[in-house]
Amino acid sequence: MRVDSGMTVVFYNKPLLRFIELLLFLALGITGFLYLTQSFLKLGFRGVLDAIAIYSFVVAAFLFVLIAEVVDSHYLRLLSSLITFVGMFIAFRWIFQIDAPHLEAGPMTTAMGAFIVGMVLALFYFFLIVGRLITDKVRAVAVAKVHEAGVVARPPATEAPEMEPAAVAGGSSEEAAASAVAELPSELKLRAVAGPYLGQSFALSRGENMIGRKEGAILLSDDAQVSRRHCVIVWEESGLALRDLGSTNGSWVNGQRVTESKLHPGDVLAVGQSQLKLE
């Protein structure tokens, strides 16, 4: 079963978010500087205090955007960008409809232009995050369907022989773990079931198998949504495990975003736009 990865927000990435935040900072900085300066020249110290009171809400909203970036939460980014846009929309009336007519026209026209650009950036930032969240949900559903299809396609397991009573009585968790490891095949691979590498296979070796766009044993250089060092699959005596390496778009196992996760044959990994089935 092929998973359509076309729903992925191709333009989404952290460098783009930070670039938008930088432009928004510049737009708010230019507006704030011109507004406060003109308020001081026209109304003196009292005018600056009034201007700061009006503009502080916009500044506080933008600081919330920076906090969301540090926390690295899409939901906080969504809320902070919405608050920033609403705050700028409200401040626009106070700054440019109430105060600007009493200030010098030239600088305030420039301030208005910068402020409008900032509002557009905040709105674009908001819709970018909305698209990312929708894509994450679609990807989770798609990967889950691939996993379910793989489970259904597998032949039913043969009935296990009955264990001797003595063996049951003397069994231990260590023996069970050793038995589980023994069931792993001697060779494992990742087969791409969707994405740029559809149909290709990547062999896994004992130890660490890093997956990345620029670095690693498994290079996915044609997948723009894969981070430079995305994740690593560790194959040890105790079994297989996946560990995310702080990737931008995250690592997914059977439709669930994970930081660390045990792996078993039949699991489907989502790395960027690529869906990889462990076989």
Side-chain angles (χ1 to χ4, degrees):
M1 176 178 180
R2 179 174 178 175
V3 179
D4 184 10
S5 59
M7 293 294 294
T8 303
V9 179
V10 176
F11 297 107
Y12 173 90
N13 54 67
K14 284 185 179 178
L16 176 59
L17 293 184
R18 289 164 185 165
F19 181 66
I20 294 174
E21 291 162 5
L22 175 61
L23 293 179
L24 183 57
F25 172 77
L26 292 175
L28 294 178
I30 292 172
T31 302
F33 174 78
L34 293 174
Y35 179 45
L36 296 177
T37 300
Q38 292 303 308
S39 297
F40 176 75
L41 294 176
K42 186 70 176 181
L43 304 172
F45 188 68
R46 178 62 182 272
V48 172
L49 292 180
D50 290 342
I52 290 175
I54 294 172
Y55 209 62
S56 61
F57 181 71
V58 177
V59 174
F62 178 72
L63 290 177
F64 193 21
V65 172
L66 298 182
I67 292 173
E69 184 64 32
V70 173
V71 176
D72 195 14
S73 167
H74 289 331
Y75 293 102
L76 280 180
R77 288 190 182 102
L78 185 72
L79 180 61
S80 63
S81 59
L82 182 60
I83 291 175
T84 301
F85 177 78
V86 172
M88 295 179 72
F89 184 80
I90 295 173
F92 185 89
R93 176 177 179 274
W94 287 93
I95 297 173
F96 300 106
Q97 294 181 358
I98 296 177
D99 288 351
H102 306 289
L103 305 176
E104 189 174 340
M108 291 309 296
T109 300
T110 303
M112 180 185 295
F115 201 73
I116 292 174
V117 169
M119 292 178 67
V120 173
L121 289 170
L123 194 60
F124 177 66
Y125 189 95
F126 173 79
F127 282 113
L128 197 63
I129 299 301
V130 169
R132 176 74 268 173
L133 293 173
I134 292 175
T135 301
D136 284 349
K137 295 298 183 184
V138 172
R139 176 186 293 173
V141 172
V143 174
K145 287 181 178 179
V146 171
H147 179 63
E148 291 172 3
V151 171
V152 171
R154 279 190 223 134
T158 55
E159 186 174 335
E162 295 185 5
M163 297 180 64
E164 295 293 332
V168 174
S172 64
S173 58
E174 291 81 3
E175 292 173 347
S179 176
V181 173
E183 292 177 357
L184 283 175
S186 58
E187 296 182 359
L188 288 169
K189 65 180 180 180
L190 293 173
R191 181 171 61 85
V193 294
Y197 294 90
L198 178 65
Q200 297 187 36
S201 296
F202 305 92
L204 296 176
S205 59
R206 298 276 181 171
E208 294 190 351
N209 300 264
M210 185 191 298
I211 301 175
R213 183 167 45 85
K214 295 293 185 181
E215 301 178 26
I218 300 176
L219 293 176
L220 303 178
S221 54
D222 292 337
D223 192 334
Q225 296 299 305
V226 174
S227 296
R228 183 184 186 90
R229 301 173 73 254
H230 199 101
C231 64
V232 60
I233 296 176
V234 182
W235 185 358
E236 297 177 333
E237 293 300 323
S238 57
L240 282 89
L242 178 142
R243 183 173 73 251
D244 186 74
L245 298 177
S247 62
T248 299
N249 295 312
S251 301
W252 302 68
V253 177
N254 299 329
Q256 299 294 322
R257 185 166 184 169
V258 299
T259 302
E260 293 187 11
S261 176
K262 292 287 186 182
L263 296 177
H264 307 281
D267 287 344
V268 178
L269 286 60
V271 180
Q273 300 179 69
S274 302
Q275 313 286 345
L276 308 171
K277 186 174 182 180
L278 181 61
E279 296 179 339

